[in-house]
Amino acid sequence: MKRVITTLAILLVVIVAGMTALVLLVNPNDFRSYMVKQVEQRSGYRLEVGGDLRWHVWPKLSILAGRMSLTAPGASQPLVTAENMRLDVNLWPLLSHQLSVSQVMLSNAVVRATPESAAQQPHNAPVAPGRSEASAPAGGWSFDISQLRVADSLLIWRQPGGDEYNFRDFNLNLNQDARHQATIALSTSLTRNQRNATLSLKGQLDAAQYPHRLSGKIDELNYALSGANIPPQGVKGTLSAQGSWRAETQQFALTQMQLSANDSALSGSASGTLTAPQQLALQLHATQLNLDNLMSGAPQSSERGAQHATVARAPVIAAPRVQNNSDSPLNDVNLALDLKADSAVWRGLTLQSFALDATNQQGLMTLRVLSGKLGDGDFSVPGTVDIRQPETRVALQPVLHNVAIQPLLAAFALPQTLQGNVSLNGDLGGEGLTLEAAKQQWRGEAQLRASDVKLAQINLQQMVRRAVERASDKVSSDEGADQGIRQLEGDVTLDNGVLRFDRLQGEGDRLRLQAAGAVNMAQQQLDVTFGLTLSGWKGDERLTALLSQQPIPLRMYGSWNNVQYSLPVDQVLRQQLQSEAKSRLNEWLDRQPKNSDKENLRKLLRP
C-alpha cells in the first residue's frame, strides 16, 4: 500500500512540475499572432486581442486574455467584443509548441447581428457568373472549436431597415463533435415597449454545412411574456420543433411544432424568409385554444357572474408609450395563417370547429375564412382589416345562423335582456378594432331574423293584458298561453353606435308585433315602440273584436339601468269609443233631412 501511495505521489509531483515548467517555458503571447493569422485565413475575420495573455492552470489549463474583438471583412462594427476571454487548451500539443483550443469562453460580451457588423464585399469585387453579388470566399467560415461558452452578455439584432432588439442576460453553451453535430443551451431576456420576454432553449444543431445551411431540433424552449397590452397573468409556455435555415435565401422552416401558450395547445408548421419584406406562413391546429387567456382586452370571469372593471395603472417611473399602427410588426410582414381549432374560447363564448384562413400584406389583413360553430348555430365573418393608415379600417360581412342571443350580448358587454336565437346577414365597417370602437364608430346594415324571442325580465303580452283589464272590466284574457315571439324579422342599421330598426315584424301564438326605434350603445339609451296586437280576449264582443285588430303601443325608453315605459291602453279604448260614437252619429245624421243644423253637427264631428 505504501508503494502505491508513494508512486501516486511521485506522479503528482511530476505532473505539477511538468505543468510548472510548461508555464514557465511557454509564453502564451507567442500564440497571439498565430491565433490572429489562423482566424483570418479560415474566415477572413479580423481578431484583435488586447493586453497580455497569461496562463491559468486550475481547474483547466487555460489562456486568459483581456478585451477582444472579432470583425467581419469590410464591416464597420465588430461582430463580437468581450471584456474577458478564456481559451481552454489541450496539454499534449503544447509540448510541441502547438496550440489546440478545446473551449472558448467569453464573458460580458456584446454580439452584434446587424447590417453594420455583417461582412461586406469590396466595391470592385468580381461578380460570379449568374449572380448579382460578389461571391463569398470559397471556404466560408468554419467553426472548429468543440466548446463555446458566452456568459452574461448582450446580443444586438437588427435587420436592414428594421428596429433594433437588445437581448440581455445572453448565455450560450455550445458543444460539438468532429462532424459538427452540436448540442446547444441558450437563455436570454428582452425588454421593449414596456414588454418583457424571457426564454431558455435546449436543442441540437447540425452545422456541417455552416454557414450556408443549418438544421437542428428544438428539444425544449420555455418562454414567458409580460407587460403592456399582455394579459395580467402574462403568457408563458413551451415550444418544440425541428428546423432548418438557408443563409443564401434567408429562409427558415419549422416542422413538427408543438406549442403551448397558457392553457392553449397547438401543433403545426411554420416557414418564411427574413429578407424584406419578411414572409411567414403558419399552419396550426389546436385541440384547445383559449383566446381570453392570450388577449389583454378579453373579459375576466368573476364569481357569481359579477362584472368588475379592470383599471390599468401606468408605471410610476414612466408614462405609457403611445402605440399606433406604425408600431405594428404586421406592417413589415407578409403573413399567411391557416388555423383550425377543435375548441376555442373568445370573450366567454365556446366555439367548436373554429377555422381562420387569413393573409396579411404589409398591414392589409384579409380574413378569407373566419368561421365556427356556436352552440346549435354557426357563424362566418369574412372581411378585411387595414392598419396601413393611422386609423384602423375594418370591413366585415358577418353571417350568423341560429345563434343564441344572450351569450352574444354578454360577449359584447351589452345588457342580457333578450333570449332566443338569431340569424343575421350583414355588412359592417368603420374605424378601430376594439369593442368600444365597434360600439361607437362602426356603420352598416343587416337583415335579421330571430326565433323564440323573449325579454329576460319583461313579459310584453302580460303587461298589455293586465293594462287592458285595469282599463276596462268588460274584457279578460288567459295569460298562461303566452309563449313569447315565435318569429321576428326585419332590417337594422348601425350608425356610429346607434342601432336603428324601422320595420321589425314578428308573430307568436296569439300575437302580432311591429317595432320601431333606436338603441344608443355609446350613451346606453334606448327608445323603442312596440305595436302589439293580441288575440284570446273574452267578454264584450265589440271590445274583444277591437283589441284583436287594434295594435296597442308600448313605448320603452330611457337608460338601460332605469328603463321607463308608456302603455296608453285607456287612450286607445277612449279613441275607439269616440270613433264608434262619431260613426253612429254620422249614421243618424244621414237619415235626417237636410238643413243647416245637420251640416253644423257634421263639422263638429270632423277631427
Side-chain angles (χ1 to χ4, degrees):
M1 187 64 181
K2 290 182 178 180
R3 290 181 180 181
V4 175
I5 296 175
T6 301
T7 302
L8 292 176
I10 292 173
L11 288 175
L12 181 60
V13 170
V14 170
I15 292 173
V16 172
M19 293 286 290
T20 304
L22 181 63
V23 170
L24 293 175
L25 294 176
V26 180
N27 185 356
N29 289 286
D30 295 342
F31 297 113
R32 183 193 302 270
S33 60
Y34 171 78
M35 291 188 296
V36 172
K37 183 178 180 180
Q38 287 295 312
V39 169
E40 188 168 5
Q41 285 181 348
R42 295 192 179 195
S43 65
Y45 284 60
R46 185 177 72 256
L47 174 65
E48 295 181 0
V49 181
D52 291 334
L53 304 182
R54 59 193 186 277
W55 289 110
H56 185 74
V57 298
W58 187 261
K60 295 180 179 180
L61 182 61
S62 307
I63 296 176
L64 300 182
R67 183 173 180 82
M68 61 79 64
S69 65
L70 183 67
T71 306
S76 60
Q77 292 184 350
L79 175 66
V80 180
T81 59
E83 296 296 329
N84 300 285
M85 179 175 67
R86 191 185 81 193
L87 306 177
D88 295 338
V89 300
N90 296 315
L91 176 61
W92 297 115
L94 286 177
L95 298 177
S96 58
H97 211 79
Q98 294 180 354
L99 180 64
S100 175
V101 178
S102 62
Q103 176 176 276
V104 175
M105 177 178 178
L106 303 178
S107 178
N108 297 321
V110 177
V111 182
R112 290 183 174 86
T114 65
E116 292 78 12
S117 65
Q120 303 293 328
Q121 295 293 340
H123 294 292
N124 298 325
V127 178
R131 298 192 60 178
S132 60
E133 297 180 353
S135 300
W141 171 265
S142 177
F143 182 76
D144 293 328
I145 301 171
S146 60
Q147 296 182 0
L148 172 65
R149 182 181 178 189
V150 181
D152 302 326
S153 299
L154 170 68
L155 171 63
I156 302 174
W157 181 78
R158 178 167 63 86
Q159 288 290 301
D163 294 333
E164 186 172 280
Y165 296 86
N166 296 329
F167 293 88
R168 303 185 183 278
D169 301 322
F170 182 74
N171 294 278
L172 171 67
N173 285 322
L174 188 149
N175 300 286
Q176 69 171 343
D177 57 21
R179 297 180 296 110
H180 297 284
Q181 305 297 313
T183 60
I184 185 171
L186 180 149
S187 65
T188 187
S189 63
L190 173 67
T191 299
R192 184 174 177 82
N193 297 341
Q194 298 183 15
R195 302 184 185 96
N196 303 314
T198 61
L199 65 87
S200 61
L201 178 148
K202 293 181 180 179
Q204 304 172 30
L205 181 67
D206 182 359
Q209 302 181 47
Y210 181 80
H212 304 291
R213 186 175 185 274
L214 289 173
S215 61
K217 178 181 179 182
I218 301 175
D219 294 321
E220 182 180 7
L221 185 150
N222 298 300
Y223 69 91
L225 305 174
S226 62
N229 297 326
I230 293 177
Q233 73 275 15
V235 177
K236 60 182 179 180
T238 61
L239 168 68
S240 63
Q242 292 186 355
S244 62
W245 162 259
R246 293 183 178 273
E248 291 85 356
T249 57
Q250 297 282 291
Q251 290 180 319
F252 68 90
L254 293 175
T255 60
Q256 301 182 28
M257 287 176 53
Q258 297 292 330
L259 172 66
S260 67
N262 291 347
D263 57 348
S264 299
L266 303 97
S267 61
S269 61
S271 61
T273 62
L274 294 182
T275 55
Q278 298 173 2
Q279 308 284 334
L280 178 61
L282 293 171
Q283 289 187 329
L284 300 174
H285 175 265
T287 55
Q288 171 66 32
L289 180 62
N290 191 337
L291 297 174
D292 287 354
N293 279 347
L294 302 177
M295 299 168 58
S296 60
Q300 301 296 319
S301 61
S302 56
E303 296 182 358
R304 299 181 183 179
Q307 298 285 335
H308 300 284
T310 301
V311 180
R313 302 184 183 275
V316 177
I317 61 174
R321 182 177 183 272
V322 177
Q323 300 289 325
N324 54 53
N325 285 344
S326 62
D327 296 320
S328 175
L330 293 175
N331 290 318
D332 302 320
V333 175
N334 289 339
L335 172 67
L337 173 61
D338 183 4
L339 170 64
K340 292 181 173 60
D342 298 336
S343 177
V345 177
W346 178 77
R347 299 195 66 85
L349 299 175
T350 300
L351 314 177
Q352 304 294 332
S353 302
F354 177 75
L356 172 61
D357 184 357
T359 61
N360 174 70
Q361 297 292 323
Q362 300 181 47
L364 176 60
M365 288 173 277
T366 303
L367 306 177
R368 294 184 293 193
V369 175
L370 176 57
S371 62
K373 296 180 179 179
L374 180 56
D376 295 330
D378 56 78
F379 67 92
S380 175
V381 191
T384 60
V385 179
D386 190 350
I387 63 171
R388 296 174 297 180
Q389 305 298 326
E391 292 292 338
T392 301
R393 302 290 302 176
V394 181
L396 301 176
Q397 294 79 46
V399 177
L400 308 182
H401 178 257
N402 199 35
V403 174
I405 297 175
Q406 202 164 43
L408 278 182
L409 295 175
F412 289 98
L414 296 173
Q416 302 173 46
T417 55
L418 286 178
Q419 298 175 350
N421 299 315
V422 64
S423 297
L424 179 146
N425 193 331
D427 188 357
L428 303 175
E431 297 180 350
L433 195 56
T434 64
L435 182 61
E436 292 303 317
K439 290 181 179 180
Q440 300 180 23
Q441 303 176 32
W442 285 20
R443 296 165 296 280
E445 57 186 18
Q447 294 79 45
L448 177 146
R449 175 175 293 182
S451 60
D452 301 326
V453 180
K454 293 182 180 180
L455 289 173
Q457 299 178 351
I458 300 176
N459 189 323
L460 296 179
Q461 299 183 51
Q462 186 182 78
M463 290 178 62
V464 172
R465 294 184 186 280
R466 291 183 178 180
V468 170
E469 291 175 356
R470 286 194 298 268
S472 174
D473 57 359
K474 296 182 179 181
V475 292
S476 63
S477 64
D478 181 11
E479 299 178 358
D482 294 334
Q483 300 295 325
I485 304 171
R486 182 172 58 250
Q487 184 172 319
L488 179 69
E489 61 182 20
D491 297 334
V492 297
T493 60
L494 177 65
D495 186 8
N496 294 326
V498 179
L499 187 65
R500 301 182 185 277
F501 38 91
D502 297 327
R503 292 182 299 274
L504 281 183
Q505 296 182 352
E507 61 180 19
D509 292 336
R510 299 189 299 172
L511 166 71
R512 295 194 307 275
L513 174 146
Q514 295 179 342
V519 178
N520 192 319
M521 293 183 288
Q523 300 179 6
Q524 299 187 358
Q525 299 279 333
L526 63 86
D527 190 348
V528 181
T529 299
F530 298 93
L532 301 170
T533 304
L534 306 181
S535 60
W537 298 102
K538 302 176 182 178
D540 185 271
E541 293 183 358
R542 290 179 299 174
L543 286 180
T544 56
L546 167 67
L547 293 173
S548 298
Q549 299 175 0
Q550 176 70 32
I552 298 177
L554 169 60
R555 180 189 176 202
M556 304 181 69
Y557 60 95
S559 170
W560 291 352
N561 299 322
N562 186 23
V563 177
Q564 307 293 317
Y565 72 91
S566 172
L567 184 56
V569 174
D570 54 347
Q571 182 178 350
V572 173
L573 296 177
R574 184 167 58 252
Q575 289 176 351
Q576 179 60 26
L577 292 175
Q578 291 175 352
S579 298
E580 184 177 352
K582 290 180 181 180
S583 177
R584 292 187 178 186
L585 285 173
N586 283 321
E587 292 175 357
W588 178 80
L589 289 174
D590 290 338
R591 295 193 298 269
Q592 304 302 315
K594 293 183 178 180
N595 54 44
S596 59
D597 293 335
K598 178 179 178 180
E599 295 301 323
N600 291 333
L601 286 174
R602 286 190 182 277
K603 291 180 181 180
L604 292 175
L605 294 175
R606 292 171 184 170

